[in-house]
Every structure is written in C-alpha cells, then in structure tokens.
Amino acid sequence: MTTLGIRGAFFDFVDDPWKHVGREQEAARFHADGLMVIEDGRIVDFGAYDNIAPRHRALEVTPIADRLILPGFIDGHIHFPQTRVVGAFGEQLLSWLQVWVFPEELKYKDRAYAADAARRFFDNLLAAGTTTCQAFTTSAAESAECLFDEAARRNMRLISGLTGIDRYVPADYANTPEEFYRESKRLIGRYHRQGRSLYAVTPRYALGSSRALLEACQRLKSEHPDCWVNTHISETRDEIAAVQVEFTDCADYLGVYEKYGLVGPRFTGGHGIWLTEDEFGRFSRSGAAIVFCPCSNLFLGSGLFRIGRATDPRSRVRLAWGSDVGAGNRFSLLGALDEGYKIGMCNNAAVTDAAEAERNKISPYRGFWSITLGGAEALYLDEWVGNFEPGKEADFVALDWTAGPSALAWRQSLVGDRPRTVEQAADLLFGLMMVSDDRSVDETWVMGKRLYKKGE
Ligand code: GUN
Ligand code: ZN
C-alpha cells in the first residue's frame, strides 16, 4: 500500500453554486492550508492541515506551495481523432465535417497513426489540467482501442466508444449497422468498467444515423443498460432542419433519440443550442445531460447556448462543459470558461427575464463547479471524481496564479502574497479563467501520481 499526503491550498465544491444565488461561496470549500491523504490513488482523508495531520503521524507529505489545488477538470465532450485538425479555417458544421473532419478521421484505420494521436491527445489534456473526458473516436474500432489502451496506460478515467455513422459521410468512412453492433459489443466486453474505462454507445448524431444504426444502438443499450450514451444534438439550425426532413415521425431532435430508447440517465447530447422549451423540459425530467461547448460554438458559429435556461431551477438540466476539440480550438477548459462567460453576457444583450439574465453570468464558482463536480454529476461520475471527498480518486490540478500572462498581475495584487479566504481564491480563479490558459497549469495528478509538470 502506498500512502502519501499533499499539503497546499485546496479549492473544491460540495454543491451547485446556481442553487446559492448571492452566497455562492457556500457551495465551495477552501482550505488555505489543507492536507489530502491518498492511499493507493484514492483520497482517504481531507481537510484543514491542523485537523488532519495529527491523525497521520508518519505520513510522508509533499508540499505544493503557492498553488491553488483543484479537482482535475472534466471534459464532457471532445473528439480524440480531431487532435490534428484544431483550428481549421472557414466552415460551419456540416461543411466543416466534410471538408476537414472526415478526411482526417479516415486516417485512424491506421493503428500506428491512431496510437500516436492518442498519446498526443492525453498529453494535451494533462497540460490543460483535464483528467477525465468523454471522447468520440472514429468509425474504426482501431481508434477506440488505441484510445482506451492509452487511457489505461495512464490510469485515466475515460468514457468513450466506437463512433457510428452511416449517412451523409464518405462511403469509405461509414459503418454498417451490423458491423457497428458487433464491434461495439466486442469493445464493451473488453473495456467497459475495466480499470477506469467506461463505455458509451456512440451514434455520432441523428443526421448521420440510419434507422438501422439507431436500432443497433437501442439494442446495445438494452443489452448493456449500465453503459453510457454519447452523441450530438441541436447544434446548428441547418442540421436540425435536415433531421426534421429525415425523421418526419419524430416531433423534434430529442424525439429521435427517445424513439430509440436512448434518453435517460447517462445519456449526453453535446451542444443543445437550439433546443425547444419542450426539449429542455424532457432533458430535465429524464436525467439526461447536455454538454455546453463554448469554444466550439463560437469557432463554428453555431450559436449561443442558453445557460440561463438550462440552469432554471424549475426544470434544471444536468450540464457538463466540453472543449469539443477540434471544433473547439483549444483543449483548455479555462478557455471554455472564458468563452462561456462571454456567451452568457451576449445572451444578456437580448434576455429580458432578470432571473435568467442572472443565471447567465458565469462566476468563478459556477465556472469551476461546472468543470469539476458539476461535470461529474452531469455525467454520473461523481461516485469517483469531481471533488476531494474521501473515497474518491485523487485526480487534481495545481494552478499557478503567479504564472500566465502579465495581465493577471493586477488580480494577484488584490490578493497579496496568497489567498486566505474562499472569496480571495475565487477572485484569483476568475482571473485565471478570463485572462489565462494552460500557462497557469503547473502540475496535473492522476490517481495520486504526478503525470504532468509544466516545463518538464
Ligand atoms: N456533429 C457530428 N459530428 C460532429 C463533430 O465531429 N463535431 C461537432 N462539433 N459536431 C458534430
Ligand atoms: Zn462534438
């Protein structure tokens, strides 16, 4: 058994800050001098140093000084095979897929290419402070195998699955529904709940799915009800119009996934920018989650997600945040918080309901909860990750508030040499999300092991 202690300034969450309007700090927890005790990768004790240390006399303690230690970030929606097409010029969703994405993803039939990309993918995530993700692969089983294998090598928590598509796609890229069913089934047997891996049945999106492919998904989900389901929904208006033409028997976009029995707990739909009021209500009641991907939504010009609607307490929707790399132009979830904040403010140029306008404001509490505990809850991962509760896996990131762009300096000056209160820590975090990026990520730890150190 390996036991170690980490001493430093810890910031995590115990509740949803949107439930604590005007007193959001009640949802957070800050120990200016804290101690986390880790045994075999799991947190066994956590709290103020003076309270915890006497219980662990012979503990070997690693100090992480002058950093804010947060739970590792959770990226609810990312495309592993788009690592090499980040920042592709000039197209919106449907043409971007054809011009840039399918030709690149086609290369993932080559196992060596896919394995190399998987290493780069996790290197990028760790450098951004992200320790858990839900990731799309390609239509080739090799891509899913390389991703799961690389995650296992690093002992990282991953939700993923073979990504099925058989319509509106080049013929050499498409799956057949039979092959998709057979290969998904094999991959579930090999990876689901092995180590930290979890399997998601993954129809890419309704527009790219024949009825036979959706029936294959339905069969997989009914045979493996504890698997996740991951897909896209209502990202652009022309996509929705095309879905309505294809699925005239479904009232709306969510209705397609409902018809095939996919919507419920552990279902996630990326984007949801153009969902109707009725769809938001059904998301809320079913326990399914939306993933908000601000960088992507702005990069492709898809639209402004209604954060204030999704967080309406009268029918709250589970909400994770994602980078959506490569439509998202950066891996950093600090970058997602930056752009998400701006989307909230843009929404408020038109929103007239004062309560919704208030909910559109991404405070540091709302932002960092969303990429830690909130993301974990939305994706049904909170029994393992999301905060520093004993029993959970010791995934965390050490943020350096003294690094990053020089524009951060004025925020540091508000706090002095180090944050002493939860409000001061939150103030620094707001500076990090709005002004900084990966430069502030100093160390990333997975299951009690340091896997990334800036500059090494
Ligand atoms: N919809 C279907 N496939 C994709 C994809 O790769 N990226 C995004 N952003 N939307 C999609
Ligand atoms: Zn996506």
Side-chain angles (χ1 to χ4, degrees):
M1 191 172 67
T2 359
T3 306
L4 84 151
I6 303 288
R7 182 176 185 176
F10 291 88
F11 191 107
D12 73 343
F13 291 90
V14 289
D15 202 4
D16 170 1
W18 267 281
K19 289 187 193 154
H20 298 256
V21 176
R23 42 188 178 78
E24 291 173 301
Q25 65 279 16
E26 288 173 8
R29 191 160 56 168
F30 177 61
H31 294 295
D33 181 18
L35 180 65
M36 178 195 286
V37 184
I38 303 167
E39 246 172 51
D40 291 337
R42 269 168 227 286
I43 301 164
V44 293
D45 211 353
F46 173 68
Y49 182 85
D50 288 345
N51 296 340
I52 305 297
R55 303 208 278 253
H56 306 272
R57 289 275 174 218
L59 188 68
E60 200 172 297
V61 174
T62 302
I64 301 184
D66 299 326
R67 305 285 180 263
L68 278 173
I69 304 171
L70 271 73
F73 302 149
I74 297 173
D75 190 329
H77 183 115
I78 186 167
H79 295 256
F80 139 66
Q82 293 172 14
T83 301
R84 289 164 158 121
V85 280
V86 177
F89 176 74
E91 306 293 333
Q92 288 194 298
L93 175 66
L94 297 180
S95 49
W96 171 81
L97 287 170
Q98 302 294 337
V99 172
W100 294 107
V101 172
F102 296 135
E104 168 62 15
E105 293 197 6
L106 199 49
K107 299 176 189 163
Y108 283 68
K109 287 180 180 175
D110 175 349
R111 191 176 288 277
Y113 190 86
D116 177 63
R119 287 190 289 274
R120 291 166 193 249
F121 176 73
F122 286 113
D123 287 348
N124 274 292
L125 287 176
L126 290 168
T130 301
T131 51
T132 294
C133 70
Q134 174 168 249
F136 290 83
T137 63
T138 74
S139 55
E142 290 85 350
S143 72
E145 290 169 0
C146 289
L147 188 71
F148 277 119
D149 291 345
E150 188 59 31
R153 228 166 264 130
R154 302 178 192 224
N155 205 11
M156 288 175 70
R157 199 160 269 293
L158 169 70
I159 308 173
S160 191
L162 180 67
T163 300
I165 185 167
D166 66 344
R167 312 209 48 187
Y168 298 100
V169 70
D172 51 356
Y173 185 88
N175 313 90
T176 66
E178 299 73 31
E179 162 211 277
F180 174 74
Y181 172 81
R182 194 180 58 246
E183 287 294 78
S184 299
K185 190 99 185 151
R186 179 177 69 77
L187 293 166
I188 290 169
R190 179 160 164 194
Y191 293 111
H192 185 49
R193 296 188 187 271
Q194 295 303 309
R196 301 184 80 196
S197 291
L198 301 164
Y199 198 90
V201 175
T202 309
R204 186 168 192 134
Y205 69 148
L207 187 60
S209 306
S210 67
R211 287 163 193 275
L213 189 83
L214 290 167
E215 280 161 12
C217 293
Q218 180 170 29
R219 199 169 149 206
L220 289 162
K221 178 67 181 167
S222 70
E223 289 167 356
H224 303 277
D226 75 329
C227 277
W228 276 246
V229 179
N230 187 27
T231 190
H232 293 84
I233 190 165
S234 298
E235 183 174 359
T236 69
R237 285 194 278 197
D238 52 352
E239 172 207 12
I240 296 165
V243 167
Q244 276 164 351
V245 170
E246 291 292 335
F247 295 91
T248 47
D249 50 333
C250 300
D252 50 32
Y253 203 135
L254 185 62
V256 177
Y257 299 130
E258 286 169 336
K259 180 179 165 95
Y260 293 93
L262 302 175
V263 180
R266 293 194 296 279
F267 171 94
T268 39
H271 306 294
I273 296 167
W274 303 99
L275 293 172
T276 62
E277 186 51 37
D278 199 64
E279 287 172 299
F280 269 118
R282 277 143 57 209
F283 254 102
S284 172
R285 289 191 294 279
S286 70
I290 298 172
V291 190
F292 175 33
C293 305
C295 293
S296 164
N297 299 164
L298 294 177
F299 185 78
L300 292 182
S302 304
L304 304 178
F305 179 67
R306 295 177 56 206
I307 311 157
R309 166 61 192 89
T311 51
D312 185 338
R314 290 168 299 183
S315 62
R316 179 74 152 92
V317 177
R318 286 170 183 262
L319 198 59
W321 288 44
S323 64
D324 195 26
V325 156
N329 57 325
R330 46 193 47 125
F331 279 78
S332 174
L333 289 175
L334 297 178
L337 294 181
D338 168 16
E339 302 293 23
Y341 175 85
K342 294 171 191 166
I343 288 175
M345 295 311 255
C346 283
N347 276 330
N348 282 351
V351 165
T352 50
D353 173 351
E356 181 166 340
E358 194 286 324
R359 291 193 299 270
N360 271 325
K361 293 187 191 174
I362 307 300
S363 68
Y365 298 102
R366 289 172 174 177
F368 283 90
W369 174 79
S370 296
I371 61 170
T372 59
L373 184 62
E377 287 176 358
L379 300 177
Y380 293 82
L381 298 174
D382 51 313
E383 66 181 279
W384 299 295
V385 292
N387 66 7
F388 298 135
E389 277 304 296
K392 293 200 187 184
E393 297 159 347
D395 290 354
F396 56 89
V397 54
L399 298 174
D400 181 355
W401 68 80
T402 69
S406 58
L408 262 179
W410 78 269
R411 290 206 89 84
Q412 292 151 6
S413 69
L414 298 178
V415 165
D417 62 334
R418 64 187 176 87
R420 288 174 167 76
T421 63
V422 66
E423 291 83 2
Q424 287 181 331
D427 210 20
L428 276 180
L429 287 172
F430 191 64
L432 292 179
M433 76 186 226
M434 296 313 302
V435 186
S436 195
D437 48 37
D438 291 6
R439 283 172 284 180
S440 298
V441 174
D442 190 41
E443 297 182 9
T444 308
W445 291 61
V446 169
M447 287 294 273
K449 280 204 179 122
R450 197 179 75 182
L451 293 197
Y452 172 79
K453 169 76 185 168
K454 190 176 152 194
E456 279 180 8

